Amino acid sequence: MLVGALLLNWGVKRLVVGKIESGLEAQGWSAEVGDFDYSIANKEVEIRNFTGVPMDARQLKEVGEVQVEHARVRFDNSREDKLGELELRGAKARFGQLDEMMLVPEKSISVKGFVLNNPAEFGGGPLLDFKEIQLHYGDLKVKGREHFETVLIDVARLNIVKNKQGLWLTDLSSKAQETIRKDDESPTVDQLTIRIGDIAFQDLSTGAGPKVIPMNRTIKVENNPKDYALGVFLQLIGIVSEAKQRSGY
Protein backbone atom coordinates (compact mmCIF):
# COMPACT_ATOMS: atom_id res chain seq x y z
CA MET A 1 0.00 0.00 0.00
CA LEU A 2 2.84 2.37 0.87
CA VAL A 3 4.58 1.54 -2.38
CA GLY A 4 1.36 2.24 -4.26
CA ALA A 5 0.98 5.62 -2.58
CA LEU A 6 4.57 6.53 -3.40
CA LEU A 7 4.11 5.50 -7.02
CA LEU A 8 0.88 7.52 -7.23
CA ASN A 9 2.62 10.56 -5.77
CA TRP A 10 5.48 10.17 -8.25
CA GLY A 11 3.03 9.78 -11.12
CA VAL A 12 1.10 12.91 -10.15
CA LYS A 13 4.32 14.91 -9.89
CA ARG A 14 5.52 13.80 -13.32
CA LEU A 15 2.11 14.54 -14.81
CA VAL A 16 2.09 18.08 -13.42
CA VAL A 17 5.72 18.67 -14.41
CA GLY A 18 4.85 17.52 -17.92
CA LYS A 19 1.92 19.94 -18.03
CA ILE A 20 4.11 22.81 -16.84
CA GLU A 21 6.75 22.07 -19.46
CA SER A 22 4.23 21.57 -22.29
CA GLY A 23 2.30 24.68 -21.23
CA LEU A 24 5.45 26.80 -21.41
CA GLU A 25 6.32 25.22 -24.74
CA ALA A 26 2.94 26.39 -26.04
CA GLN A 27 3.96 29.90 -24.93
CA GLY A 28 7.19 29.71 -26.91
CA TRP A 29 9.53 28.43 -24.21
CA SER A 30 11.65 25.31 -23.93
CA ALA A 31 11.53 24.45 -20.23
CA GLU A 32 12.82 21.81 -17.85
CA VAL A 33 11.72 21.33 -14.24
CA GLY A 34 14.28 19.63 -12.01
CA ASP A 35 12.07 18.81 -9.03
CA PHE A 36 8.46 19.44 -8.11
CA ASP A 37 6.38 19.15 -4.95
CA TYR A 38 2.89 20.12 -3.90
CA SER A 39 0.60 20.35 -0.90
CA ILE A 40 -3.14 20.05 -1.47
CA ALA A 41 -3.88 21.10 2.12
CA ASN A 42 -1.82 24.30 1.86
CA LYS A 43 -2.63 24.87 -1.83
CA GLU A 44 1.09 25.22 -2.52
CA VAL A 45 3.30 24.21 -5.41
CA GLU A 46 7.11 24.16 -5.22
CA ILE A 47 9.50 23.95 -8.15
CA ARG A 48 13.26 23.53 -7.87
CA ASN A 49 15.99 23.90 -10.47
CA PHE A 50 13.85 25.33 -13.24
CA THR A 51 15.50 26.15 -16.57
CA GLY A 52 13.74 27.91 -19.42
CA VAL A 53 14.88 29.21 -22.80
CA PRO A 54 12.70 31.32 -25.12
CA MET A 55 12.49 29.84 -28.60
CA ASP A 56 11.98 33.24 -30.24
CA ALA A 57 15.35 34.55 -31.46
CA ARG A 58 14.67 38.13 -30.33
CA GLN A 59 13.59 37.06 -26.85
CA LEU A 60 16.54 34.70 -26.62
CA LYS A 61 18.92 37.58 -27.34
CA GLU A 62 17.29 39.80 -24.71
CA VAL A 63 16.53 37.27 -21.99
CA GLY A 64 18.83 34.30 -22.59
CA GLU A 65 18.48 31.22 -20.43
CA VAL A 66 16.35 31.70 -17.31
CA GLN A 67 17.28 29.71 -14.21
CA VAL A 68 15.38 29.57 -10.92
CA GLU A 69 16.72 27.56 -8.00
CA HIS A 70 13.46 27.56 -6.06
CA ALA A 71 9.93 28.84 -6.66
CA ARG A 72 6.94 28.49 -4.36
CA VAL A 73 3.39 29.37 -5.37
CA ARG A 74 0.51 29.46 -2.91
CA PHE A 75 -3.02 29.88 -4.20
CA ASP A 76 -5.63 31.98 -2.44
CA ASN A 77 -8.40 30.17 -0.58
CA SER A 78 -11.08 32.32 -2.21
CA ARG A 79 -10.50 30.82 -5.65
CA GLU A 80 -8.40 27.93 -6.92
CA ASP A 81 -6.61 29.90 -9.62
CA LYS A 82 -6.07 33.11 -7.61
CA LEU A 83 -2.46 33.69 -6.61
CA GLY A 84 -1.93 34.10 -2.88
CA GLU A 85 1.88 34.28 -2.70
CA LEU A 86 4.81 33.89 -5.03
CA GLU A 87 8.33 33.30 -3.72
CA LEU A 88 11.44 33.09 -5.91
CA ARG A 89 15.00 32.32 -4.87
CA GLY A 90 18.17 32.24 -6.92
CA ALA A 91 16.82 33.52 -10.25
CA LYS A 92 19.15 34.37 -13.15
CA ALA A 93 18.76 35.63 -16.71
CA ARG A 94 20.82 37.63 -19.17
CA PHE A 95 19.40 40.94 -17.89
CA GLY A 96 20.25 40.23 -14.25
CA GLN A 97 19.68 38.10 -11.19
CA LEU A 98 18.03 38.16 -7.77
CA ASP A 99 18.58 36.38 -4.49
CA GLU A 100 14.98 36.34 -3.35
CA MET A 101 11.57 37.84 -4.04
CA MET A 102 8.26 37.59 -2.20
CA LEU A 103 5.09 38.79 -3.90
CA VAL A 104 1.70 39.01 -2.20
CA PRO A 105 -0.70 40.39 -4.85
CA GLU A 106 -2.20 43.78 -4.01
CA LYS A 107 -0.38 43.77 -0.65
CA SER A 108 3.40 43.80 -0.94
CA ILE A 109 6.49 43.07 -3.01
CA SER A 110 9.84 42.37 -1.36
CA VAL A 111 13.05 41.91 -3.35
CA LYS A 112 16.55 41.33 -1.98
CA GLY A 113 19.86 41.05 -3.78
CA PHE A 114 18.62 42.17 -7.20
CA VAL A 115 21.20 42.99 -9.88
CA LEU A 116 20.14 44.61 -13.17
CA ASN A 117 22.76 44.35 -15.91
CA ASN A 118 23.95 46.97 -18.36
CA PRO A 119 23.01 46.57 -22.03
CA ALA A 120 25.43 44.42 -24.03
CA GLU A 121 26.84 47.49 -25.82
CA PHE A 122 27.87 48.80 -22.40
CA GLY A 123 29.67 45.64 -21.36
CA GLY A 124 26.73 43.66 -19.99
CA GLY A 125 27.99 43.84 -16.40
CA PRO A 126 25.98 45.06 -13.39
CA LEU A 127 24.27 48.43 -13.82
CA LEU A 128 22.23 48.57 -10.63
CA ASP A 129 22.96 46.48 -7.55
CA PHE A 130 19.90 46.73 -5.31
CA LYS A 131 20.30 45.81 -1.68
CA GLU A 132 16.54 45.64 -1.35
CA ILE A 133 13.26 46.87 -2.80
CA GLN A 134 10.12 47.04 -0.67
CA LEU A 135 6.68 48.05 -1.94
CA HIS A 136 3.54 48.09 0.19
CA TYR A 137 0.24 48.68 -1.56
CA GLY A 138 -2.35 51.16 -0.36
CA ASP A 139 -6.00 50.25 0.03
CA LEU A 140 -7.37 51.61 -3.23
CA LYS A 141 -6.22 52.94 -6.56
CA VAL A 142 -6.02 56.73 -6.68
CA LYS A 143 -7.22 58.39 -9.89
CA GLY A 144 -7.12 55.01 -11.60
CA ARG A 145 -3.43 54.50 -10.82
CA GLU A 146 -1.73 52.03 -8.50
CA HIS A 147 -1.39 53.33 -4.97
CA PHE A 148 1.52 52.48 -2.68
CA GLU A 149 1.70 53.43 0.97
CA THR A 150 5.48 53.03 1.08
CA VAL A 151 8.20 52.38 -1.47
CA LEU A 152 11.82 51.74 -0.47
CA ILE A 153 14.55 51.37 -3.10
CA ASP A 154 17.98 50.75 -1.59
CA VAL A 155 20.76 50.84 -4.21
CA ALA A 156 24.05 49.47 -2.94
CA ARG A 157 25.91 50.49 -6.10
CA LEU A 158 25.23 52.14 -9.44
CA ASN A 159 27.74 51.39 -12.21
CA ILE A 160 28.00 53.97 -15.00
CA VAL A 161 29.92 52.69 -18.02
CA LYS A 162 31.47 54.41 -21.02
CA ASN A 163 31.43 52.00 -23.95
CA LYS A 164 34.18 51.45 -26.50
CA GLN A 165 32.46 53.87 -28.89
CA GLY A 166 32.92 56.70 -26.36
CA LEU A 167 29.29 56.92 -25.20
CA TRP A 168 28.39 57.09 -21.52
CA LEU A 169 25.18 55.33 -20.54
CA THR A 170 24.08 58.57 -18.85
CA ASP A 171 24.24 60.30 -22.26
CA LEU A 172 20.87 58.64 -22.88
CA SER A 173 19.29 60.32 -19.85
CA SER A 174 17.65 63.09 -21.91
CA LYS A 175 15.49 60.49 -23.67
CA ALA A 176 14.53 58.95 -20.34
CA GLN A 177 13.68 62.39 -18.96
CA GLU A 178 11.39 63.12 -21.90
CA THR A 179 9.66 59.76 -21.45
CA ILE A 180 9.04 60.48 -17.76
CA ARG A 181 7.81 63.99 -18.57
CA LYS A 182 5.18 62.62 -20.95
CA ASP A 183 4.14 59.74 -18.69
CA ASP A 184 1.22 60.57 -16.40
CA GLU A 185 0.72 56.95 -15.32
CA SER A 186 3.20 56.92 -12.43
CA PRO A 187 1.71 55.22 -9.36
CA THR A 188 0.66 57.38 -6.43
CA VAL A 189 3.01 57.00 -3.46
CA ASP A 190 2.46 58.18 0.11
CA GLN A 191 6.11 57.77 1.07
CA LEU A 192 9.00 57.10 -1.32
CA THR A 193 12.56 56.54 -0.12
CA ILE A 194 15.54 55.98 -2.42
CA ARG A 195 18.98 55.29 -0.98
CA ILE A 196 22.12 55.50 -3.10
CA GLY A 197 25.31 53.95 -1.71
CA ASP A 198 28.24 53.92 -4.14
CA ILE A 199 28.43 55.15 -7.73
CA ALA A 200 31.16 53.69 -9.93
CA PHE A 201 32.46 54.90 -13.30
CA GLN A 202 34.35 52.81 -15.82
CA ASP A 203 35.71 53.53 -19.31
CA LEU A 204 35.71 50.25 -21.23
CA SER A 205 37.92 51.69 -23.97
CA THR A 206 40.88 52.02 -21.58
CA GLY A 207 40.62 48.63 -19.90
CA ALA A 208 40.98 50.30 -16.49
CA GLY A 209 38.94 49.19 -13.50
CA PRO A 210 36.00 51.18 -12.11
CA LYS A 211 36.41 54.27 -9.94
CA VAL A 212 34.07 53.89 -6.98
CA ILE A 213 32.69 57.04 -5.33
CA PRO A 214 30.87 56.65 -1.99
CA MET A 215 27.79 58.91 -2.03
CA ASN A 216 25.41 57.62 0.66
CA ARG A 217 22.53 59.88 -0.32
CA THR A 218 18.83 59.54 0.43
CA ILE A 219 15.92 60.93 -1.57
CA LYS A 220 12.55 61.16 0.18
CA VAL A 221 9.20 62.12 -1.29
CA GLU A 222 5.94 62.23 0.65
CA ASN A 223 2.25 62.69 -0.13
CA ASN A 224 2.51 62.15 -3.89
CA PRO A 225 3.41 65.66 -5.15
CA LYS A 226 2.66 66.53 -8.76
CA ASP A 227 5.29 65.29 -11.24
CA TYR A 228 7.21 63.60 -8.42
CA ALA A 229 8.71 61.02 -10.79
CA LEU A 230 10.41 63.72 -12.86
CA GLY A 231 11.62 65.46 -9.70
CA VAL A 232 13.15 62.24 -8.38
CA PHE A 233 14.80 61.56 -11.74
CA LEU A 234 16.38 65.03 -11.79
CA GLN A 235 17.67 64.54 -8.24
CA LEU A 236 19.24 61.24 -9.28
CA ILE A 237 20.88 62.91 -12.29
CA GLY A 238 22.29 65.55 -9.94
CA ILE A 239 23.77 62.92 -7.62
CA VAL A 240 25.32 61.06 -10.56
CA SER A 241 26.76 64.31 -11.97
CA GLU A 242 28.35 65.15 -8.62
CA ALA A 243 29.86 61.68 -8.36
CA LYS A 244 31.19 61.91 -11.92
CA GLN A 245 32.93 65.20 -11.14
CA ARG A 246 34.49 63.68 -8.04
CA SER A 247 35.69 60.69 -10.07
CA GLY A 248 37.68 62.90 -12.43
CA TYR A 249 35.82 61.78 -15.57
Side-chain angles (χ1 to χ4, degrees), residues 41-99:
N42 296 329
K43 292 189 175 181
E44 286 187 357
V45 174
E46 288 191 72
I47 296 173
R48 297 178 183 85
N49 300 321
F50 168 87
T51 302
V53 179
M55 292 183 281
D56 178 77
R58 182 178 177 182
Q59 279 191 320
L60 179 61
K61 183 178 179 180
E62 294 176 353
V63 178
E65 182 180 84
V66 176
Q67 298 177 343
V68 180
E69 291 179 7
H70 178 245
R72 182 180 64 85
V73 179
R74 183 181 63 79
F75 294 97
D76 191 276
N77 289 326
S78 63
R79 203 173 70 232
E80 284 188 9
D81 60 346
K82 184 178 180 182
L83 182 65
E85 285 182 0
L86 171 63
E87 180 182 359
L88 295 177
R89 293 182 182 273
K92 294 181 181 180
R94 180 165 293 161
F95 55 80
Q97 64 184 57
L98 64 83
D99 291 339

Side-chain angles (χ1 to χ4, degrees), residues 127-132 152-160 193-201 211-219 236 239-240 242-244 246:
L127 167 61
L128 283 161
D129 185 348
F130 295 93
K131 184 178 180 181
E132 66 173 320
L152 168 63
I153 301 174
D154 193 339
V155 181
R157 179 162 154 174
L158 168 62
N159 297 289
I160 307 296
T193 303
I194 300 176
R195 298 175 186 149
I196 306 293
D198 297 338
I199 300 180
F201 298 87
K211 292 184 178 180
V212 182
I213 309 299
M215 296 302 290
N216 299 316
R217 300 294 178 83
T218 299
I219 297 173
L236 289 171
I239 293 171
V240 171
E242 179 186 339
K244 190 175 181 181
R246 288 170 55 185

Side-chain angles (χ1 to χ4, degrees), residues 154-224:
D154 193 339
V155 181
R157 179 162 154 174
L158 168 62
N159 297 289
I160 307 296
V161 173
K162 184 179 183 181
N163 65 16
K164 294 181 179 180
Q165 288 71 45
L167 180 68
W168 286 99
L169 184 62
T170 47
D171 293 340
L172 307 176
S173 62
S174 58
K175 293 183 179 179
Q177 180 177 333
E178 188 61 27
T179 299
I180 294 172
R181 191 187 301 275
K182 292 179 179 178
D183 183 15
D184 59 355
E185 299 300 321
S186 299
T188 60
V189 181
D190 295 342
Q191 185 177 72
L192 168 65
T193 303
I194 300 176
R195 298 175 186 149
I196 306 293
D198 297 338
I199 300 180
F201 298 87
Q202 185 175 14
D203 186 348
L204 297 181
S205 65
T206 66
K211 292 184 178 180
V212 182
I213 309 299
M215 296 302 290
N216 299 316
R217 300 294 178 83
T218 299
I219 297 173
K220 285 192 174 183
V221 177
E222 295 184 344
N223 301 321
N224 192 53

